[in-house]
Amino acid sequence: MPRFVVKTGPDAGRVIEMRAKSLRFGRSQDSDVVVNDPGVSRNHAMVTEINGLIMLTDFSSNGTFVNNIPISRTVLMDNDEIRMGSTVFVFEDAPSEVGNVSGTECTGLAMPVSSTEEERRDNSTRLLPDFQIGIDAGALKEVYLKLKTVYRILSDIAESSSLRSMLEIFSRAALLALGGERVTCYLWSESAEALREDFKFCSELVSPYTSQLANAPEHFLKEAFNSSEPLLAKWDDHGRFIPEHESPNVVALQLRRDQQAIGVVCIDNPHGRRTFTKDDVDFLQTLIGLVNLRVYQLTQMENLRQEIRSLRQKRADDFTIVCQNERMKEIYQKVAQAAQTDATVLIVGETGTGKELVARSIHALSPRRNKEFVAVNCAAFTETLIESELFGHERGAFTGAYTQRKGKFEQAHGGTIFLDEIGEMSPNVQAKLLRVLEQREIQRVGGEKSIKVDVRIIAATNKNLKEEVRKGNFREDLYYRICVVEIALPPLRERVDEIPALAQHFFEKLRKEHPTTLKKIAPETLEVLKSYPFPGNVRELKNIIERAVVCATGDTLLPQHLGNDILEAARRPSLSALEQKRGESESQPFRAKTLAELEREHILRTVQSVPNKVKAAEILGISRTTLYEKLKEYGIGTEKEEEGHN
């Protein structure tokens, strides 16, 4: 029967036998084992028998130590020392756990001789045949100890998150299971291009003489570093280091990360009191294999974390709202306020104004940020398909429905669903959407069961839904359901002051995605962009910048890199500018002008709107000579004007 003997502490000499499947250790009087030690927590630890193994689990705030190593959960082995506070227990395992050990031999698993042909056929498939095997008790005990060590190192390494902690676990297991004297770990230094000792783990036998013991020679360690097979050697009785394969007391193993060597672990017995058998070497290879596997797993996990961080940063960059305009700052403030509630939001604006970006920002700022954001373009599906897309379908609901499928509402459960172009929904789907908003439940196509969903709905449209309601194309009750909070996004032509900041934002982002020599945007390029009307709004601006980044050469993005269509459109006054000019003219009293005055104004504006006088002459429909004569006649073309427009 397993038992715990108090080695040191207030209850020294006390023996606790494990008569139950579990024992709770603590200072509390309700504990199975009351430990009268002020350094022990009220509910400190629990020992549990699981499939013949004794598992120790720590619950304390002060820590539980096995052989001076802090643990959270581990398998106990014979003669382990467990420290709780200042009390040290020694765990003594029972020989009966090893098997039927009697004297120097034990009887293996014996099967009764089959009395029928069927039983004989069954026994022929068993791992052990119908005869007894004599096994040396010491050998069986050693195998048992190694198996428990492997189990322990598996559970301990699974909870390890650093290379150092894994190597310490490996070292402790190697010394305990094999009776080793020293484990030295070396890691490869890229800067020094050599192996450097990271730490040393010694048994009590050699600890007092650690500084006097020589390490394995560098050439031996370097050879082990470059070999995937264990390297064997021996310290002889005179302290000389020699190659040895028959009775080695030195084993060096390669430490790897994703098939790349990163160090060497050397297990040796400098006093030469014990040599390593082939089974010992195989056992050490198994242990280092577990370490290497865990190192690989941790590397992959770190790579995944890095990729997640990168994707999250990229996603954040993709959905950054640039606010330079006072109107947009007010809108973003409204977005932040709406995000803290579950109110349904309707985002209205022209195509390309950034409606999905605003929807994602609301989700990212809301308490649902860690749940799914599911976007659906309602205009991309027919009436029959949009219903299945939103609500899902049961198997056999229609031709081709071979399996059950969850809809977007179920996928967005706990999160946010974004219904883009909601004005394109058919009346039938509008009615079902209204039911979702009112009842918070859906029915799959072909199904009868109502499914509760917890989603926040954000809708968007480029249509005037009030007008659509008046025409009978959109349900009035649905309109008021989705328009709890309305956010109207202005077109880019109404926030010209944001164009330079948006252009710079897209430029910095896109030149990271595409190989380019460009480093900056010329000021005159930004002026051209400010003059362009942007019928496609922010989406078009991003497209223009991306095209320029891909096609341009040099280190500066110049106006000619934008394309002739952009330059031509930028030179033409926009409709809003013409209307504004017309309004200003109409608001002023009429003043009669001579034909000469009108001609002078027209020539002056034409010359100022084009890069050179050749182009101006073409637009005016006169020769360049005639243009120069007119300029001279009207006093246009001073030295200052020539510098600005030639």
Side-chain angles (χ1 to χ4, degrees):
M1 178 183 297
R3 65 179 190 173
F4 299 85
V5 179
V6 181
K7 182 178 179 182
T8 60
D11 299 324
R14 180 183 174 190
V15 177
I16 302 104
E17 292 185 338
M18 192 166 177
R19 297 182 180 275
K21 285 288 185 182
S22 64
L23 292 176
R24 288 186 298 115
F25 288 70
R27 199 161 33 86
S28 169
Q29 295 301 313
D30 295 332
S31 302
D32 299 318
V33 179
V34 179
V35 185
N36 299 310
D37 184 335
V40 173
S41 300
R42 291 180 59 80
N43 182 24
H44 198 99
M46 176 177 281
V47 176
T48 312
E49 181 186 349
I50 302 174
N51 297 328
L53 297 172
I54 308 301
M55 185 75 71
L56 172 64
T57 305
D58 175 52
F59 298 123
S60 71
S61 56
N62 304 327
T64 301
F65 299 80
V66 175
N67 302 322
N68 291 321
I69 295 175
I71 61 98
S72 55
R73 191 167 185 261
T74 191
V75 176
L76 292 177
M77 293 167 52
D78 197 27
N79 292 322
D80 273 349
E81 291 192 356
I82 303 120
R83 177 163 59 85
M84 304 178 192
S86 61
T87 301
V88 176
F89 300 85
V90 177
F91 173 67
E92 295 181 356
D93 205 351
S96 58
E97 285 191 10
V98 181
N100 287 328
V101 180
S102 176
T104 59
E105 286 192 352
C106 72
T107 304
L109 297 175
M111 300 181 191
V113 178
S114 303
S115 56
T116 67
E117 183 63 29
E118 182 178 350
E119 288 178 340
R120 279 195 295 272
R121 282 199 304 271
D122 180 60
N123 284 339
S124 67
T125 63
R126 296 179 186 267
L127 294 176
L128 294 178
D130 294 338
F131 56 85
Q132 295 180 346
I133 306 173
I135 304 176
D136 177 72
L140 186 59
K141 178 73 174 179
E142 187 173 344
V143 170
Y144 169 71
L145 185 62
K146 287 178 180 177
L147 286 173
K148 287 190 72 173
T149 303
V150 170
Y151 186 90
R152 168 182 284 185
I153 198 171
L154 271 171
S155 61
D156 287 355
I157 284 179
E159 296 182 4
S160 299
S161 57
S162 70
L163 180 61
R164 168 61 72 89
S165 64
M166 284 186 284
L167 291 175
E168 288 179 354
I169 292 167
F170 170 87
S171 301
R172 178 165 59 92
L175 296 185
L176 286 174
L178 302 182
E181 297 173 1
R182 180 175 66 174
V183 178
T184 312
C185 297
Y186 303 86
L187 295 179
W188 180 258
S189 169
E190 292 290 348
S191 57
E193 294 187 348
L195 288 165
R196 292 285 181 261
E197 183 179 316
D198 187 55
F199 78 94
K200 192 171 288 179
F201 204 92
C202 299
S203 67
E204 293 179 358
L205 180 65
V206 299
S207 289
Y209 317 105
T210 302
S211 59
Q212 303 171 21
L213 297 173
N215 288 333
E218 187 176 346
H219 69 85
F220 175 77
L221 297 172
K222 190 68 178 290
E223 188 178 350
F225 179 77
N226 293 317
S227 173
S228 58
E229 297 297 322
L231 241 61
L232 309 178
K234 183 175 183 177
W235 295 104
D236 67 9
D237 294 337
H238 302 289
R240 291 175 301 186
F241 190 88
I242 56 175
E244 176 64 52
H245 294 280
E246 296 301 324
S247 56
N249 58 17
V250 181
V251 180
L253 301 160
Q254 184 190 65
L255 190 63
R256 292 191 301 274
R257 177 187 287 126
D258 195 14
Q259 303 305 314
Q260 181 179 358
I262 60 171
V264 172
V265 180
C266 185
I267 307 97
D268 63 347
N269 299 324
H271 281 186
R273 300 193 177 191
R274 187 185 188 285
T275 59
F276 296 122
T277 65
K278 183 181 183 302
D279 287 343
D280 293 336
V281 175
D282 291 342
F283 176 68
L284 289 172
Q285 275 192 284
T286 301
L287 294 188
I288 202 67
L290 295 174
V291 173
N292 288 336
L293 177 61
R294 182 58 178 164
V295 170
Y296 171 75
Q297 290 173 339
L298 289 176
T299 303
Q300 293 298 97
M301 286 169 63
E302 181 55 36
N303 290 341
L304 286 173
R305 289 192 192 100
Q306 183 61 41
E307 187 173 350
I308 290 169
R309 284 193 292 268
S310 176
L311 288 172
R312 281 178 176 167
Q313 184 59 50
K314 184 177 183 299
R315 185 175 180 180
D317 291 342
D318 287 343
F319 303 116
T320 301
I321 296 179
V322 177
C323 289
Q324 299 288 327
N325 178 277
E326 287 301 320
R327 189 173 171 188
M328 286 303 296
K329 288 179 181 178
E330 291 175 5
I331 288 172
Y332 191 73
Q333 187 176 3
K334 195 173 183 180
V335 164
Q337 291 173 341
Q340 301 310 310
T341 71
D342 265 348
T344 306
V345 178
L346 176 64
I347 306 168
V348 296
E350 294 180 9
T351 300
T353 49
K355 296 187 287 294
E356 184 172 346
L357 173 61
V358 171
R360 287 186 180 274
S361 296
I362 293 172
H363 175 73
L365 294 170
S366 75
R368 297 175 180 265
R369 68 179 67 91
N370 295 322
K371 299 295 184 178
E372 289 295 318
F373 176 91
V374 179
V376 184
N377 185 350
C378 302
F381 299 94
T382 62
E383 181 180 347
T384 53
L385 286 178
I386 188 65
E387 191 175 343
S388 172
E389 188 73 13
L390 291 176
F391 309 122
H393 61 253
E394 297 290 351
R395 180 182 177 184
F398 49 82
T399 304
Y402 300 115
T403 58
Q404 183 192 79
R405 182 177 178 274
K406 289 184 178 180
K408 298 296 185 184
F409 273 95
E410 285 184 84
Q411 293 173 32
H413 182 72
T416 304
I417 187 167
F418 174 57
L419 303 175
D420 198 8
E421 305 299 348
I422 194 171
E424 304 297 331
M425 271 189 181
S426 68
N428 180 43
V429 180
Q430 288 178 34
K432 295 192 175 183
L433 178 59
L434 182 63
R435 182 171 182 269
V436 176
L437 285 162
E438 290 176 342
Q439 306 294 332
R440 295 291 166 178
E441 60 183 27
I442 60 151
Q443 261 189 8
R444 296 191 188 122
V445 176
E448 298 179 356
K449 179 183 175 184
S450 293
I451 302 168
K452 289 287 184 182
V453 288
D454 172 25
V455 292
R456 200 248 180 94
I457 298 174
I458 301 175
T461 182
N462 60 4
K463 289 185 174 183
N464 185 338
L465 287 189
K466 285 186 178 179
E467 183 64 22
E468 294 298 307
V469 169
R470 190 185 66 79
K471 292 178 180 178
N473 297 330
F474 200 83
R475 293 180 64 111
E476 187 175 15
D477 48 2
L478 178 60
Y479 171 74
Y480 288 115
R481 279 285 184 180
I482 63 174
C483 193
V484 178
V485 178
E486 184 177 20
I487 297 175
L489 299 181
L492 189 56
R493 61 181 174 274
E494 293 181 12
R495 42 190 175 116
V496 177
D497 51 341
E498 280 198 328
I499 290 176
L502 284 166
Q504 195 65 46
H505 168 74
F506 290 134
F507 177 74
E508 294 298 334
K509 177 178 176 293
L510 293 166
R511 73 191 188 100
K512 292 176 184 176
E513 296 179 7
H514 304 291
T516 181
T517 57
L518 293 173
K519 295 180 181 178
K520 60 182 179 179
I521 304 177
E524 54 267 32
T525 306
L526 295 175
E527 290 302 317
V528 171
L529 289 172
K530 287 171 70 175
S531 302
Y532 183 69
F534 287 104
N537 291 294
V538 180
R539 186 182 294 131
E540 185 181 9
L541 173 59
K542 181 182 178 183
N543 178 271
I544 291 169
I545 297 295
E546 185 167 16
R547 181 176 61 190
V549 167
V550 171
C551 300
T553 56
D555 64 351
T556 305
L557 185 60
L558 300 172
Q560 56 263 36
H561 294 144
L562 300 177
N564 291 331
D565 55 336
I566 304 300
L567 295 175
E568 288 294 335
R571 292 191 192 109
R572 293 193 298 269
S574 65
L575 182 60
S576 60
L578 288 172
E579 289 175 347
Q580 182 180 358
K581 188 72 176 176
R582 181 183 173 187
E584 290 173 358
S585 300
E586 290 177 351
S587 64
Q588 295 175 358
F590 174 75
R591 185 179 71 83
K593 294 181 182 180
T594 64
L595 289 174
E597 286 178 317
L598 291 173
E599 185 179 51
R600 184 186 187 281
E601 286 181 6
H602 183 61
I603 291 172
L604 178 59
R605 287 178 181 176
T606 304
V607 169
Q608 289 177 340
S609 67
V610 295
N612 55 60
K613 292 186 176 63
V614 175
K615 188 69 175 176
E618 288 178 5
I619 293 172
L620 292 168
I622 58 178
S623 67
R624 188 169 56 170
T625 303
T626 304
L627 175 60
Y628 276 103
E629 289 174 354
K630 293 285 186 182
L631 293 174
K632 185 177 180 180
E633 178 186 347
Y634 293 129
I636 302 172
T638 62
E639 185 178 347
K640 183 177 180 180
E641 288 173 330
E642 291 291 335
E643 289 175 359
H645 302 296
N646 273 324

